[in-house]
Amino acid sequence: MLIYNSGSRRNSDEHFYFWTESMEVASDFRSWDELIPDALGVIFTHLSVQERLTIVPSVCKSWADLVAGPYCWQEIDIDEWSSCCEPDKLDPLLEMLITRSSGSLRKLCVSCIQTERMFIFIAENAPSLETLRLSRCNINDSIVEQFTRRLSMLSFLDVSYCTNIGARALETIGNNCKLLEGLCRNMHPLDTAGKNYEDDEANAIASTMTNLKHLEMTYHLIKTTGVLKILSNCHKLEFLDLRGCWGVQLENISVEQNFPRLKVYEPFVTDFYEKDEWEDFSESSEYLTWDFVAGDMNGYYDDESDIDDEMWDDEGRLEELEFRFYQGIEDAEMFWPPSP
């Protein structure tokens, strides 16, 4: 016997109408492989370099062709990887990625470049660079004079821990990169320990980089006179990091009174983290810092009895031992050099 159930029929009709309407809506969406290349390239930039090189090409031929072109390589950040790899592996990868950018590269973050040929390759194949980070690179004054002539579009440059360059290189950078608004020239305390204070680099910055808004010179051998010259010539300066610059006496400059719009981190190493407002500093890496870099570690405790006994448990182990980690150079306002 066939039993007709009007309620079931009504429910079926509702499901049918819902299904057909959903199909019509779904038909309005485009397939991934139909996206225009530059839109898909923007999506792929949210992936790591390793994922773009190894996973994306294996999905389909169109994606493989896309990552081989310039759409995914307008920004290249291999700073963390390059600091740990061998030079013979760094140069081929960097050369391949820059070649893929086809002259559209706007941002490059890499460290520990050792060969002069690689610097020249960057200059010849990345004329549109706006942000360039070259920390811990084996670059000298002569190389700077060669490759900065082609990088006139630079607005931010990081040459921290590049110990083989000096005032001559900074003057060349200032003369060739007139759009420069941000400069990182941080040093490691071990690289400057025991050396004399000098203002030659400060004078080069003051005389050639008058459009600077952001300047970092942590642990630098700079004196009060050099800072005063920078402040007098760089009228657009909004942020100045002088932590670890023990030769600077800011009370002799009266920064708050004479430069009220300027944010300054004083030579004394502070103990807090504050997010940077510089837009280019979007990525982050962590570094370990230490508390006694400015003083005499042996003289920190006058007497061993001053150490709080409550720090030790019954078995002689430390309790409540605090380790402090801070954001690295990507967060410029709170840059801490890596421990040796």
Side-chain angles (χ1 to χ4, degrees):
M1 178 183 294
L2 180 62
I3 299 176
Y4 177 78
N5 189 324
S6 59
S8 299
R9 173 64 179 272
R10 184 170 56 253
N11 292 336
S12 299
D13 291 343
E14 290 177 355
H15 286 301
F16 174 76
Y17 291 135
F18 176 77
W19 179 78
T20 55
E21 183 178 355
S22 299
M23 290 296 293
E24 291 177 359
V25 173
S27 64
D28 294 336
F29 290 97
R30 299 180 62 181
S31 175
W32 277 82
D33 57 4
E34 295 179 2
L35 286 174
I36 57 177
D38 53 349
L40 198 56
V42 171
I43 296 174
F44 287 160
T45 57
H46 292 279
L47 301 175
S48 67
V49 172
Q50 181 180 2
E51 290 170 330
R52 276 178 274 170
L53 291 176
T54 60
I55 298 178
V56 174
S58 63
V59 174
C60 61
K61 185 179 184 303
S62 61
W63 284 20
D65 293 339
L66 181 67
V67 295
Y71 299 103
C72 293
W73 308 109
Q74 295 182 6
E75 295 186 3
I76 298 173
D77 186 350
I78 56 173
D79 181 73
E80 184 177 355
W81 177 82
S82 60
S83 63
C84 303
C85 80
E86 297 296 330
D88 60 337
K89 296 180 181 179
L90 171 59
D91 287 6
L93 175 64
L94 187 57
E95 186 172 342
M96 179 190 70
L97 297 181
I98 293 176
T99 300
R100 288 188 177 187
S101 70
S102 301
S104 64
L105 184 62
R106 297 194 310 268
K107 181 177 180 179
L108 174 62
C109 305
V110 61
S111 61
C112 302
I113 296 178
Q114 301 297 318
T115 61
E116 178 178 353
R117 185 189 68 82
M118 198 65 246
F119 292 111
I120 303 303
F121 183 85
I122 294 173
E124 292 178 346
N125 293 273
S128 300
L129 267 178
E130 298 172 2
T131 298
L132 178 60
R133 302 176 186 274
L134 294 173
S135 60
R136 302 177 184 86
C137 288
N138 186 26
I139 190 172
N140 55 46
D141 294 345
S142 178
I143 295 176
V144 170
E145 290 179 344
Q146 295 181 59
F147 91 99
T148 56
R149 295 174 185 172
R150 295 176 177 262
L151 301 178
S152 59
M153 299 300 293
L154 276 182
S155 62
F156 174 79
L157 177 65
D158 181 2
V159 285
S160 297
Y161 309 133
C162 297
T163 57
N164 294 329
I165 64 174
R168 174 183 159 193
L170 293 180
E171 184 176 358
T172 301
I173 293 169
N175 288 330
N176 291 328
C177 307
K178 293 300 183 180
L179 301 179
L180 198 66
E181 295 183 345
L183 176 68
C184 287
R185 183 66 179 124
N186 301 298
M187 300 298 290
H188 195 289
L190 296 181
D191 292 330
T192 58
K195 297 182 179 180
N196 296 326
Y197 295 110
E198 298 178 349
D199 281 337
D200 53 345
E201 291 196 16
N203 293 335
I205 292 173
S207 60
T208 63
M209 304 181 189
T210 56
N211 289 322
L212 280 183
K213 295 181 179 179
H214 186 106
L215 176 60
E216 298 179 39
M217 300 188 73
T218 59
Y219 298 97
H220 210 281
L221 296 172
I222 187 175
K223 296 185 294 185
T224 306
T225 53
V227 173
L228 185 58
K229 188 167 185 179
I230 290 175
L231 296 179
S232 300
N233 289 15
C234 302
H235 302 292
K236 299 180 181 179
L237 200 62
E238 299 173 354
F239 175 79
L240 178 61
D241 194 343
L242 296 172
R243 281 167 299 167
C245 299
W246 315 123
V248 177
Q249 303 296 325
L250 287 180
E251 58 270 18
N252 297 335
I253 302 177
S254 301
V255 174
E256 293 183 1
Q257 179 180 353
N258 297 325
F259 307 94
R261 298 179 58 184
L262 178 63
K263 186 175 184 179
V264 180
Y265 277 133
E266 300 185 12
F268 179 74
V269 180
T270 52
D271 193 20
F272 62 91
Y273 169 77
E274 191 170 322
K275 186 174 178 59
D276 181 25
E277 297 176 358
W278 187 263
E279 293 180 356
D280 283 321
F281 290 23
S282 56
E283 300 82 21
S284 64
S285 56
E286 293 183 346
Y287 296 102
L288 177 65
T289 188
W290 56 97
D291 290 332
F292 308 108
V293 68
D296 183 2
M297 292 182 63
N298 295 326
Y300 186 75
Y301 292 111
D302 295 331
D303 189 343
E304 292 183 359
S305 62
D306 292 338
I307 303 178
D308 192 350
D309 293 335
E310 295 181 358
M311 293 178 58
W312 304 87
D313 61 14
D314 295 337
E315 298 181 2
R317 295 175 300 188
L318 277 173
E319 291 182 343
E320 299 180 357
L321 182 62
E322 179 182 1
F323 291 91
R324 293 172 181 166
F325 292 87
Y326 297 90
Q327 295 297 319
I329 196 165
E330 302 291 339
D331 289 304
E333 285 187 10
M334 200 56 198
F335 174 75
W336 295 83
S339 58

